[in-house]
Amino acid sequence: MPTDGASGAHISTKAAGGASVARDEHGVVAALLRTSCALAAELDFDRLVQTLTDEATALCRAQFGAFFYNVSAESGASYMLYTISGVDRAAFAKFPMPRKTAIFAPTFEGRRVVRFDDVTQDPSYGKNEPYRGMPPGHLPVRSYLAVPVISRSGETIGGLFFGHPEAGVFRADDEELLVAVAAQAAVALEHARLYRDVKDAHSLESRRAELAQDISATLNADDALDARLQRCCEALVEHAGAAFVRVWEHDDGGGSLQLKASAGMYTHLDGAHSSIVIGQHKIGQIAAEKQPHVTNDVLSDPRISDKDWAAREGIVAFAGYPLLVEGRLVGVLAMFRKQPFGASALKLLGGVAGQIAMAMERHRAHEARERFRRLFLGMLGHDLRNPLGAIAISAQMLERAADMPAHADASIQRIRRSSDRMARMVQQLLEFARVRSLDSGGIPVDRRPGDLSDICREVVEELRISHPTQQIEERYEGDCSGDWDADRMAQMFSNLIENALHHGDPERPVRVSLWRRAGLVCGEVHNQGEPISETALDGLFDPFRRAQAARTAKTKGLGLGLFITHQIVLAHGGTLFVLSSEESGTTFRLSVPVKDTR
Amino acid sequence: MSNRCILVIDDEDDVREALSELLQDHGYKVLAAPNGREGLALLRGEERPAFVLLDLIMPVMNGWEFLDAVEKDDELSAIPISISTSAPEQAPANHDVIPKPIDVDALLERVRAACG
């Protein structure tokens, strides 16, 4: 039955009958003055509501007091927050927010003051499911006094609620005092809210620009996606004041989300939330519904399961966004905060979620392209090498055949040379595919102890056989032993020296030198002859450079040799550069650390 | 008398034929199969080869599956197998590998060693 009739039948106005609490008029005036001063002096909204609750609780001699107030979000949803006095917040945290039941409605709707000598004796008490009275474990309230706090524009800002375990504590003059305090509080709260909004808007505006710039730069970096996501989370912790921020990625085709980044209070990626089934828990629900979920009151939000944790850590707000690209789910961004989200903060986060979603999508598309390219080049390599194999074997057979006419020899040699060259190009193409497919580290190397000068000597020996008319001079100094991938290093020397033999003046020797300097082995491959043009020098180690350069009579192959050579040196932690001029010829200069220092 | 029978398994007809001819020219008897399954049937046939030259990437039954089947068969597991492949980095460890394009001398050396 309704209890808020105009008669005000349920407002007790009789003098306290139960407990008699002595009242010191002087003390009341002092307390009122203190309250007035405190309310007038405080501009910080959160501190103001706490001061209000503490002072008002003391003023009416309540054992415990609370101030419940509404916060509106831009979405139109409103959240109820509260401060509490005289009792530990944790003792209160497990209870749901008060609803507009017969007892509470007059206060929340700003209609009037409600006072009971003994609320448990009131006919409207205990009528509502599920508790039919106070929830089990609730503070024992008998004396009850509730005063709405109404702004000058008529808006109900919230309500002050007071309780005492004994009956009959609150009197009519308490009501009058608190109505006066509530009026003062309303003005102070309005000012504080205005002050907070202006301050928030100002600082958010500058932080928003900073954050947007930060996020954009982070997402456009070229390191691994997980590292970029992690830095985004860290930026949100720093600039958006989040307690912690996490990003989950939707596994393609699967029904789950994988935790990719976590910053703030928690930075681990394993544990209970590392993998979340779509549809389960708050994060999975956001993914399933593809709708953001925002609350400034995690303690009463049915989706937040671990309320004890939130109360303990002082977490009040949660915002979770599905990461969508053209309506398709790529992940979820979520954060907890110790302060409520304002409208502009939420707007900002929505934008950040969009940026992150796009970056994740770009990465996914890039991965798919890479997979296809690897597969394609792998198949191409295999399919090209097979017929080459048949040509090579057949040429070798002809070479060995006893009954071949003498004039066929030159043709057979041409077939062999061309098929060998083709095989090398296919090999380079496959190696290029492998280098490009590895996001970090480049070409894989297997470093084992060995002497780099031995490796170089062997290569020179082989090249002397295949280039019998050309001269190669060698010079080795000091101990060139270290950890090397012998096959790769041989390939590197072979490419550089063959290059020098090929492009250099055939009448002048190619000079190869290796020497030890501190923790490095340095080397040079030098040839005299036409220098490399300046345009060709620029980007000499780029793959397929020949595709952009004019073909000359001397250029053969795909232009991958120097790219692979450079990659081998890089994979050993070394450097390779080239000097070329008319007077001093062309020199490739190499330096490689003897041990893997990375 | 030594066993001079060789099994060549390769899906590329030209490669298989060229290898067969080459080995026949050197006095070996050659059995040839275009995939692992047919190769396995020949290996279990009347004449047991002394050496197998095996491609890896093939339809029906690839080289890896062929190796698995041979390793599980006590009667066959002792036969020497060399892998000839254009993807030597994918070849299983502890197997002899002759990268493609095949160097004829390297192949003949293996064959001689296996056949005695």
Side-chain angles (χ1 to χ4, degrees), chain A residues 196-213 239 343-345 347-348:
Chain A
R196 185 183 66 181
D197 287 352
V198 170
K199 207 173 78 180
D200 271 8
H202 181 71
S203 77
L204 257 168
E205 207 46 59
S206 62
R207 275 186 299 165
R208 180 196 308 224
E210 209 177 314
L211 178 63
Q213 208 172 9
H239 298 298
S344 30
K347 199 167 151 192
L348 175 61

Side-chain angles (χ1 to χ4, degrees), chain A residues 127-172:
Chain A
K127 291 285 186 293
N128 294 94
E129 296 294 347
Y131 301 113
R132 295 198 164 271
M134 284 174 242
H138 195 277
L139 301 167
V141 176
R142 291 187 72 193
S143 290
Y144 174 87
L145 175 61
V147 184
V149 177
I150 302 166
S151 75
R152 280 165 297 181
S153 61
E155 175 208 358
T156 306
I157 298 171
L160 284 160
F161 297 83
F162 305 96
H164 200 286
E166 290 171 34
V169 171
F170 305 128
R171 300 191 311 236

